[in-house]
Amino acid sequence: DAGVTQSPTHLIKTRGQQVTLRCSPKSGHDTVSWYQQALGQGPQFIFQYYEEEERQRGNFPDRFSGHQFPNYSSELNVNALLLGDSALYLCASSLTGTSGVGEQFFGPGTRLTVL
Amino acid sequence: QKEVEQNSGPLSVPEGAIASLNCTYSDRGSQSFFWYRQYSGKSPELIMSIYSNGDKEDGRFTAQLNKASQYVSLLIRDSQPSDSATYLCAVNAVFSGGYNKLIFGAGTRLAVHP
């Protein structure tokens, strides 16, 4: 049973560019949440996708957008990159039940460096 | 603002000792609580979930929850050098409309020395 996968592992971009990160959830999971983790900080919630819709969003600008596909995989897009966007981007997979989102399992992350 | 607070550490314990990690949270409506372990340069790994007041044990790990005091802790018995990592406390905060999301603390760095 494959766990959560993310691609690419590392990425180097320059200011102003755009980036797309990808995530495939665990088999049987239907919900994908994206987090940004700066060095020395806990993960910060960006948004969550369920049934191909953005269900919840954190305090991130509209430069951050996403998508969920019918097979539950998801993309995170960041436009007009800033130096401050340099971070580890984490995708977490879970199953939404009657009591809400269950345990979340993280992928290996994408390390984004903006120069 | 829903918040999760942890002591950043480092918490240094000798090999074989009990490591005690603490976390407080602000949202009284939270019902689900999680501990993640994160090695340097890696992603967080879920090690414990707890939903009811009291203790929950899994191997060398014990999670403790006190909703009245809004307090969650993680005990690691017989600490090993391989337990050296950052431990993240996460709380499932509930928002209007029934939506919920994980809010993380900044993590406590644990160092187990031989």
Side-chain angles (χ1 to χ4, degrees):
Chain A
D1 178 25
V4 184
T5 60
Q6 290 187 246
S7 64
T9 305
H10 295 86
L11 207 49
I12 299 175
K13 292 286 188 179
T14 56
R15 282 178 296 175
Q17 285 189 309
Q18 178 264 344
V19 68
T20 297
L21 311 181
R22 296 176 176 83
C23 170
S24 290
K26 285 183 62 158
S27 176
H29 282 186
D30 57 10
T31 303
V32 172
S33 304
W34 287 92
Y35 295 84
Q36 180 195 67
Q37 186 176 26
L39 206 59
Q41 301 296 317
Q44 297 295 310
F45 177 77
I46 302 175
F47 41 52
Q48 184 180 90
Y49 278 87
Y50 172 68
E51 293 187 338
E52 302 180 51
E53 289 191 358
E54 182 182 295
R55 181 163 65 178
Q56 181 75 285
R57 189 177 182 93
N59 294 325
F60 280 81
D62 291 344
R63 298 187 296 109
F64 290 77
S65 63
H67 189 77
Q68 185 179 35
F69 300 94
N71 66 353
Y72 307 116
S73 67
S74 177
E75 287 182 351
L76 164 65
N77 300 292
V78 186
N79 294 321
L81 284 167
L82 304 174
L83 294 180
D85 295 332
S86 295
L88 180 66
Y89 287 85
L90 297 162
C91 164
S93 148
S94 56
L95 180 64
T96 292
T98 54
S99 58
V101 174
E103 294 176 336
Q104 295 191 19
F105 298 89
F106 285 91
T110 295
R111 172 73 62 186
L112 172 64
T113 302
V114 182
L115 302 177
Chain B
Q1 184 82 348
K2 300 177 193 278
E3 296 180 340
V4 177
E5 300 287 340
Q6 293 182 257
N7 188 322
S8 62
L11 174 65
S12 182
V13 300
E15 184 174 357
I18 295 175
S20 177
L21 305 162
N22 305 314
C23 169
T24 59
Y25 60 95
S26 63
D27 179 24
R28 286 196 169 275
S30 296
Q31 297 295 321
S32 308
F33 307 86
F34 308 92
W35 283 99
Y36 287 82
R37 177 177 61 197
Q38 186 172 27
Y39 292 113
S40 180
K42 302 295 185 181
S43 64
E45 173 192 8
L46 180 64
I47 55 172
M48 289 289 284
S49 306
I50 187 166
Y51 306 95
S52 304
N53 279 328
D55 295 359
K56 178 182 177 182
E57 186 174 319
D58 183 1
R60 295 186 296 112
F61 299 99
T62 299
Q64 299 174 318
L65 174 61
N66 184 326
K67 291 184 181 178
S69 299
Q70 295 173 244
Y71 179 90
V72 194
S73 65
L74 179 71
L75 301 178
I76 306 175
R77 290 181 299 281
D78 189 24
S79 295
Q80 301 297 310
S82 59
D83 294 325
S84 298
T86 296
Y87 289 80
L88 298 164
C89 173
V91 174
N92 206 5
V94 180
F95 294 80
S96 60
Y99 301 126
N100 49 20
K101 68 180 186 184
L102 280 185
I103 297 179
F104 283 84
T108 298
R109 190 155 60 90
L110 173 66
V112 181
H113 54 87

